[in-house]
Amino acid sequence: MKFLPRYERTFVLDDVAAAALIESASRRMDPPASNDVSDLFYDTENWHRPAKTKTKTKAKTIDKTIYRVRRIDHAWDVFLEQQRREKQTTKLRRSIVPSSELKRLELNVADKTWEATWFHKNIIKRGLRRSLNVRFDRLAFNADSIEGPLRLTIDRNIRCQVFSDLVNPDQNPSTPIPMHLVRMKYSVSLPAIFKSLIYEFALLPNPTSMYRECVLCCPVDQCAAMYRSLHSTEHKVADPKATEPKVTQTKLTAPQLAETASAEEVATCQFG
């Protein structure tokens, strides 16, 4: 499913301001829906997506396109989503599949008969892999206005965790993100309800995203480098005919010993 582009304004609030905003929105809009949301993001191996890729006709921005697998309230079905931001609007493309079919994304060739083959082709083409798990509690207000349908979401208790299928998840603790992310979504022009909330709380737009904040808070460079080193040695099988390597003893200087000890400490800290 492809959704029509809609305008979106993002704000970052603290605990006190978020609680007051929720109380004020409850008086103006329909009763909110509360959901537990879990997102699995896809990114390149070095955690830095290319800024632009040029074609013969135009340049396409990649760094503002997000690929993720979303699960709501521990449901069996999940959403495979592509979200693209262009100036003040967002475009969303989504497919709903059973969670048992997610193993198809691990294949190197996309199945053309699968309803989410477009998602699989994109992550193969761009060299994306599972990068980050993000969980948060979402409070969503919906209402109808003269300007059209509108939606207000408040994301709280955000926790992020570097994805790795090579270690025990319990040994890779999640990192809390101390903020409340507020999004106002509308179709045409800014509705009067949102204007009132912006004026009441003196809100200033903050062009940020949850994924960007999580990447900045997580030590992704260290984890990605260690993940690559573990992944490169995961499938190495010892050859029984190979001879044992010769063991040579080398003397390390004091600075080298200190550098080795610090590297081992980082590995123990991140992966137990």
Side-chain angles (χ1 to χ4, degrees), residues 1 3 35-42 66-83 92-102 105 114-116 118-120 136 138 151:
M1 296 183 293
F3 295 86
N35 302 108
D36 180 16
V37 184
S38 176
D39 287 341
L40 174 59
F41 288 90
Y42 282 74
I66 292 176
Y67 294 89
R68 68 190 176 205
V69 176
R70 168 163 291 185
R71 185 193 299 269
I72 300 178
D73 292 335
H74 308 282
W76 175 254
D77 292 337
V78 296
F79 302 96
L80 275 61
E81 299 180 343
Q82 176 198 56
Q83 187 182 55
L92 181 65
R93 185 179 182 183
R94 168 188 290 174
S95 290
I96 305 175
V97 300
S99 56
S100 58
E101 296 185 1
L102 290 179
L105 299 176
W114 191 33
E115 58 183 339
W118 65 270
F119 185 90
H120 195 186
F136 56 92
R138 166 162 288 184
R151 181 176 173 85

Side-chain angles (χ1 to χ4, degrees), residues 256-266:
Q256 292 175 338
L257 288 173
E259 182 178 358
T260 304
S262 62
E264 292 178 353
E265 184 178 356
V266 171

Side-chain angles (χ1 to χ4, degrees), residues 142-151 185-194:
N142 294 281
D144 293 326
S145 65
I146 300 177
E147 297 86 354
L150 53 92
R151 181 176 173 85
K185 306 173 185 180
Y186 51 97
S187 301
V188 183
S189 59
L190 187 65
I193 296 178
F194 289 164

Side-chain angles (χ1 to χ4, degrees), residues 181-219:
L181 197 63
V182 178
R183 291 191 179 96
M184 297 180 179
K185 306 173 185 180
Y186 51 97
S187 301
V188 183
S189 59
L190 187 65
I193 296 178
F194 289 164
K195 290 181 181 179
S196 177
L197 291 174
I198 292 175
Y199 178 78
E200 179 181 355
F201 295 97
L203 300 180
L204 297 177
N206 190 338
T208 186
S209 68
M210 184 182 301
Y211 181 76
R212 186 186 301 122
E213 293 296 328
C214 291
V215 169
L216 293 176
C217 291
C218 284

Side-chain angles (χ1 to χ4, degrees), residues 111-129:
D111 184 3
K112 296 181 180 180
T113 62
W114 191 33
E115 58 183 339
T117 183
W118 65 270
F119 185 90
H120 195 186
K121 286 182 178 179
N122 273 287
I123 64 174
I124 293 176
K125 178 182 177 181
R126 308 185 193 282
L128 306 181
R129 63 196 306 172

